[in-house]
Amino acid sequence: MPTPRPLLPVLLAWALALSSPAAAAAAAAAADDTGIETARTARQIAPGVRLESYDRLESDRWLRIDELVVDTAGGTGGTGGVRVEYLGGDGPETVAEAAARHRAGPGRRVLGAVNGDFFDVRGSGAPLGPGLRDGRLLHSPAPGTASAPAVGFGPDGRGRILRLGLAGSVTLPGGRVRPLAGFNAARPPAEGFAAYTADWPGAALPAPGGPAVELRGGRVAAPPVREPARRARPAPGTTLLLARGATATAELAALRPGDAVAVAARPVTGAGPVPWAAVGGREALVVAGVPQDHDGEPNDTAAPRTAVGFSRDGRQVRLVAVDGRQRDSGGLTLTGLGRMMHRLGAYEALNLDGGGSTTLLAGAAGATAPTLENTPSDGTPRPVPNGLVLTAPAGSGRLAGYRVEPLGGVGPDFGRVLRGLTRTLTATGHDAALGPAPGAPSWSAAGGGSVDPAGVFHALRPGSATAYARRAGVEGALPLDVLGPPARLRPTRDRIGLAERGESAGFGLVGYDAQGAAAAVEPRDVTLRFDRSRWNVTGDGRGGFTVSARTARATGMLRATVNATGASAELALGVGLEALPVAALEDAERWTGPGAAAAEGRAGRGLALSVPAPAPAPAPLPGSAASAAPPRPVPLPELARSVSLWVAGDGSGARPDVRLADAGGAALTLRGPAADWTGWRRITLPLPPLPERPLTLTGLSASGARGRLVLDAVAAETPPTGPAPAYRTRPDPVVAGAAGVRARPWRFAVGPAVPASARNPDADFVFTGAMERPAFTHRGVRFLPLDTGRATLDGGGLGRMRSLRAALAAAAREPGTGALAVVRQYAPRAVDRKEAALLTRYLGEFRRTTGKRAAVITVGAPRFTAGRSEGVLEVSARRGGRTLFGADAFAAGDWLSVRPG
């Protein structure tokens, strides 16, 4: 896995912005008006193919983007270079399953893949647009359009957006020729003939809606069948000919076994040659270098997206996946997607299927198969009927280098080791084309550690180190950062709740040195204590741990202790489910909304929801519904697996729904079954895994058919882990008494305002919590007051990060400035965890690359705290108190001393 891009180049660009017009332009290009790119990783997969992955902070959302950037100059139809090919065609399956079965051809390998066309998700499962493989038509677009948009790739490797249609005919006995209206199309035509072959890409064939006849070898194989049963697909060499409409039906009914019937189908384009490979899409995103505006269109909502873009000459292809419907990535509208594709350099771009279908796979140097890179919004990859797959020459198989990685390393933890601990390294051999190549290496290291023959790095002293994997003059290297010894330890999860015996879940351990720099702690470096009669805890082979239950119901605690220093942490465990009350609905009269009223419940009071009849045409309601919101949001247990409630149905088929919000306020609806029963029934609705916990219940509703439902006793099925263990830290060395603060050259305070006559005798100035003042420099410290009045995803985060970048640039270029202090109002609901982590990351990189100091001071917190993260001091001043800071921006050690107020 690649090392995250360092911020040093970005910081230097900011620092030089005022003195270098070229650098200023580069900095402006790195962060346009629509957002800020916050991280980027890149890896070369093969000659001409690389993966780019990055986050963006937009004004109203975070985005996670993965893109495969492909140079197709080697040709698509020949044997050399990178090919973009049609993927799938054997019925819906995940992109990974289809890629594993893809026949790349002799001497070629699969590099990556994305999902493809929109499809008949509630019917046949077949793609709605056209598809071509090796220049041959696999399926035509669904009937009703003469042609459909698609992405196509020619024999010369060039890609383009085009429209593809069907030119087909049916030649009946006597030479009568009729047009073919559909060929392996997702839906049969309303009139005319349609043909289905072994290339059918869906699940079951669509309902024929008319007679059909089997053809083999160009002749009728059996008498026509009036209404054939649906089946998966015709056998190889067999064509199923369907007829709809009076004329075609009569002509097909007249056929007899042995009659000669010829079916011909070929693709046609609106302009230009027929492509070698093609997959259908839908909306044009960029046309002739102009991003398209889809405002007001039905599909123009924020969602996960898959898109394909081309350079003007068609040689460069971008296969792009944008995650959505998640706290960490809100997705894009079609309009936003078009702007992004244009910003990435696309002269043409087309939208493919998105939502839960969005999937991107990518390989790595020496890997034998690509792996999933994005996070599908369903929690797991969705089966889809087709996609696009990248293949390239397999290479020589002769060892040319090693890809060296730490086991399980991700994000800022990549390549870090705490002193006295270890890190397992892996070396994957690759040839000159980055394909797999065998050969076990020997290991060595330079700098602050050593590597044993098994590839385990032992961190000996803080500083830089490099691990080497070598064999016969070939090598790979991994830079490593040896931190200080672990001063504290935290699990990646405070609690693990298992539903039943045999279920398992994973966790990791993260250690922090005295400066708050973090690195993974592997199983070999810790001792675990837990009740072994109730739990199994083992290493997962990736640097973490797996917990499973040996009994059906239990609670317990796991304690992990670092062998080298004694730092420890605890993790609560539980197995079994218990229904915890969420809303008894005894206060049903306080739940408000259309069609809602208190009623007699199953045991006491309940909530009645009456779904009205749809309004008469021409203005029908978009789905009639009744709903009720509680007096205040109702929290769900953090580890809840499902939500259950009692529903009294009237047989109408109205559907009960449970409306939730995640920790970031994103809406989530659990849809219940149609209540086609009468009387009381308990229903259980599973919770999806992706929303950020904790969740809150924001409402109950009923929709669909006209009817009346009564709801009662909302509960959450939850494992009984008990509360999370308390997490304690030692006081930070910056915490000092009055004498220590007075020993500093000057002071400032955080707390209530004082009368003007007092003139702050103990401090040069006071921060009272009003953060409207601009950044300023005082005695070697640049102060940046950040306004936390607006939420991260309401533009606040984007504005704050822009202010931070400007302050970092100023502090970096000012020789008389030795430190930067960010001052902000306590506002945990306004500043989300990703913004907080980004601020710390920026300040930590500023500290490492400039040698200057950094601190974050939070005003008005519930209690005083002081600590460090990535070497950045973090002090929270208690509301109502007066916290005094002594400062010396150029001190040899800590530059602040703090007296809590």
Side-chain angles (χ1 to χ4, degrees), residues 572-601:
L573 305 175
V575 61
L577 293 177
E578 56 185 20
L580 301 181
V582 172
L585 297 178
E586 290 297 324
D587 61 346
E589 69 278 356
R590 300 179 62 195
W591 290 59
T592 57
E600 182 179 353

Side-chain angles (χ1 to χ4, degrees), residues 17 97 112 147 159 221 243 533 637 881:
E97 291 168 339
S147 60
S533 68

Side-chain angles (χ1 to χ4, degrees), residues 678-720:
T678 58
W680 288 97
R681 180 178 295 182
R682 185 182 182 184
I683 65 171
T684 299
L685 309 176
L687 287 166
L690 282 181
E692 185 177 349
R693 307 297 180 100
L695 305 175
T696 55
L697 173 67
T698 59
L700 299 170
S701 61
S703 60
R706 178 182 182 182
R708 182 177 184 267
L709 304 180
V710 181
L711 313 180
D712 199 0
V714 183
E717 283 67 36
T718 308

